[in-house]
Amino acid sequence: MYRLFHILCLLAACLLLAVSCKRTDAERARILKIYNWGDYIDEEVLMEFRDWYKEQTGESIRIIYQVFDINEVMLTKIERGHEDYDLVCPSEYIIERMLKNDLLLPIDRNFGNTPDYTKNIAPYIREELDKLSQPGMSTNDYAVAYMWGTAGILYNEEFVTAEEASTWDCLWNPYYKGRILMKDSYRDAYGTAIIYAHTKELEEGTVTVEQLINDNSPEAIALAEKYLKELKPNIAGWEADFGKEMMTKGKAWLNLTWSGDAVWAIEEAEAVGVELGYEVPVEGSNIWYDGWVIPKYARNVKAASYFINYMCRPDIALRNMDTIGYVSAVASPEILEAKIDPELDTWSDLSYFFGPEADSVQVDPVQYPDYSVVKRCAMIRDFGDRTELVLEMWSRVKGDNLNISILILIFAVFGLLFFWIVYQRVQKYKQKQKHRRRRKKLKRGL
Ligand code: SPD
């Protein structure tokens, strides 16, 4: 009887637990957890998603929105599996890594009566992302591009000419010592160093930018380390997201940054009378693509895929672009029309992105690079299990690890301090002994 009572209690406890878990699941189904780059969305657009989702599905949703500013920080959280984000926004080489490591869920594009806006993504970008596909896994089934752009040099026109900024050489010029801000992104820094180290070979056409930025051989790692260490004295700081603001205040003259940050900074600076420019160096650079993916630990895949779809609505894409400065992967005619500025005196070939009718258009070349710029750039690929080696090199360059000479100095200082304290104590002891002996002598004399 007693035993039966115990079993019943246990069953009741299990039932209660199951019911409470069920409730938690139901609550979680009304939450959408997004992990995105900082400064990478129009906040009103984000808030309006709730109403749109309700209109489309009849369901209410609450958004939990968190931000990161370094790809690897986000990746570590996903790899550890401690976070149940429904949506994250990595760059291409991280998407490739996530695909390889089976960290993603396919995106369901069955939106019922809602149109599938993801079809608005430029075919050019789909093709680029397709290069990251893994056996049996097409990237475009697992990722929808969000924003894209180039890495280049943002410069203050008062101190740097466009000609100087149009080669990576300016970063190594001692004249700019302490005037340069570098994006705290090891793949951008690595690629830049390797490209610059091979300026001659690139001119001769014996190597390509794509080969260089994706070379992780021991020789390439050592070469990048050498060049980055030479560059270090010129660097005023490694910035995650504050470089654009420092540039608008004239606190730095050069900034290795991404085109979207450059667009934002150029506009903000203009308002306060600081003139900034942006160049993608002639040697070549990387062209990057950030995309929405659903991690395998996601708990609200329905809302996640609706959010991705919403981001691809041309009007939403335009509002995001206007707020953050970056360029949407959506390539619809209304976007091209909104971006044409008849006052510009540059005409670009954007047919690769918008189609043949856009072969000579007046569109901001910092946002949308001319085809000639795209041709000298390449996409960063995952370094696989050699990533660790490159990251170790990166921390040696940045000095995250304690330098051996600093360690010796610390030991020497503490050693000296120790001997000095011991010496003082010995002296004191000797003096005490002397006094004691003198007192004893005096006593005996009395
Ligand atoms: N402030 C948001 C910046 C996001 C830019 N992503 C670029 C990644 C380049 N690898």
Side-chain angles (χ1 to χ4, degrees), residues 288-357:
W288 52 265
Y289 312 93
D290 291 341
W292 296 110
V293 294
I294 304 182
K296 78 168 179 202
Y297 309 106
R299 293 180 66 194
N300 196 345
V301 293
K302 179 177 174 188
S305 50
Y306 269 79
F307 186 86
I308 295 174
N309 197 20
Y310 171 72
M311 287 289 115
C312 296
R313 250 174 58 187
D315 59 321
I316 294 295
L318 266 172
R319 282 169 67 191
N320 278 332
M321 287 166 75
D322 288 347
T323 307
I324 66 176
Y326 281 89
V327 172
S328 166
V330 169
S332 62
E334 49 272 67
I335 295 204
L336 176 60
E337 200 188 314
K339 284 289 147 190
I340 287 180
D341 178 357
E343 284 183 13
L344 280 178
D345 54 10
T346 47
W347 278 260
S348 306
D349 176 3
L350 305 184
S351 54
Y352 69 95
F353 189 79
F354 286 111
E357 67 284 6

Side-chain angles (χ1 to χ4, degrees), residues 58-348:
E59 294 165 24
S60 303
I61 197 88
R62 186 162 73 83
I63 298 176
I64 296 180
Y65 188 80
Q66 292 174 4
V67 295
F68 60 87
D69 44 31
I70 296 178
N71 264 312
E72 287 65 30
V73 170
M74 178 275 301
L75 180 65
T76 308
K77 282 200 181 181
I78 303 295
E79 283 181 336
R80 286 196 184 141
H82 293 164
E83 299 283 350
D84 60 351
Y85 294 116
D86 299 309
L87 264 183
V88 294
C89 189
S91 299
E92 67 300 297
Y93 69 102
I94 301 287
I95 297 178
E96 186 178 17
R97 190 182 174 92
M98 289 173 131
L99 277 173
K100 280 185 195 165
N101 295 344
D102 201 16
L103 286 170
L104 303 180
L105 295 177
I107 297 166
D108 180 5
R109 292 168 203 239
N110 184 1
F111 300 112
N113 291 330
T114 313
D116 180 0
Y117 298 110
T118 67
K119 290 187 178 139
N120 292 329
I121 300 295
Y124 155 75
I125 294 197
R126 284 169 192 269
E127 279 159 31
E128 285 300 298
L129 289 188
D130 199 37
K131 294 179 184 163
L132 312 171
S133 295
Q134 298 302 305
M137 291 171 112
S138 161
T139 321
N140 288 297
D141 289 340
Y142 291 82
V144 173
Y146 178 46
M147 300 280 163
W148 65 287
T150 53
I153 295 176
L154 176 65
Y155 62 99
N156 187 319
E157 291 178 359
E158 194 183 333
F159 308 106
V160 186
T161 65
E163 200 186 335
E164 284 165 322
S166 63
T167 153
W168 291 118
D169 184 57
C170 63
L171 299 184
W172 275 265
N173 185 342
Y175 178 70
Y176 296 119
K177 187 169 179 191
R179 302 289 187 186
I180 301 174
L181 283 173
M182 289 283 285
K183 192 58 86 186
D184 190 1
S185 162
Y186 84 104
R187 288 302 301 262
D188 288 277
Y190 185 86
T192 300
I194 292 287
I195 289 175
Y196 179 57
H198 290 89
T199 307
K200 201 164 155 277
E201 291 84 344
L202 281 165
E203 263 171 27
E204 292 164 353
T206 49
V207 282
T208 64
V209 167
E210 185 172 10
Q211 288 165 342
L212 292 173
I213 63 179
N214 294 310
D215 181 357
N216 54 32
S217 62
E219 298 76 33
I221 298 177
L223 192 64
E225 180 163 1
K226 176 176 169 281
Y227 273 79
L228 289 172
K229 282 182 174 164
E230 281 171 16
L231 167 68
K232 221 181 146 185
N234 283 4
I235 295 171
W238 305 93
E239 56 97 5
D241 225 357
F242 62 86
K244 51 183 191 269
E245 221 161 310
M246 300 286 274
M247 290 295 292
T248 61
K249 291 180 181 151
K251 300 236 162 104
W253 295 355
L254 290 153
N255 182 198
L256 185 154
T257 193
W258 301 313
S259 45
D261 277 4
V263 171
W264 186 93
I266 291 169
E267 277 171 19
E268 291 290 311
E270 210 178 322
V272 291
V274 174
E275 292 201 9
L276 301 179
Y278 177 79
E279 292 289 334
V280 177
V282 286
E283 297 90 347
S285 182
N286 78 72
I287 189 158
W288 52 265
Y289 312 93
D290 291 341
W292 296 110
V293 294
I294 304 182
K296 78 168 179 202
Y297 309 106
R299 293 180 66 194
N300 196 345
V301 293
K302 179 177 174 188
S305 50
Y306 269 79
F307 186 86
I308 295 174
N309 197 20
Y310 171 72
M311 287 289 115
C312 296
R313 250 174 58 187
D315 59 321
I316 294 295
L318 266 172
R319 282 169 67 191
N320 278 332
M321 287 166 75
D322 288 347
T323 307
I324 66 176
Y326 281 89
V327 172
S328 166
V330 169
S332 62
E334 49 272 67
I335 295 204
L336 176 60
E337 200 188 314
K339 284 289 147 190
I340 287 180
D341 178 357
E343 284 183 13
L344 280 178
D345 54 10
T346 47
W347 278 260
S348 306

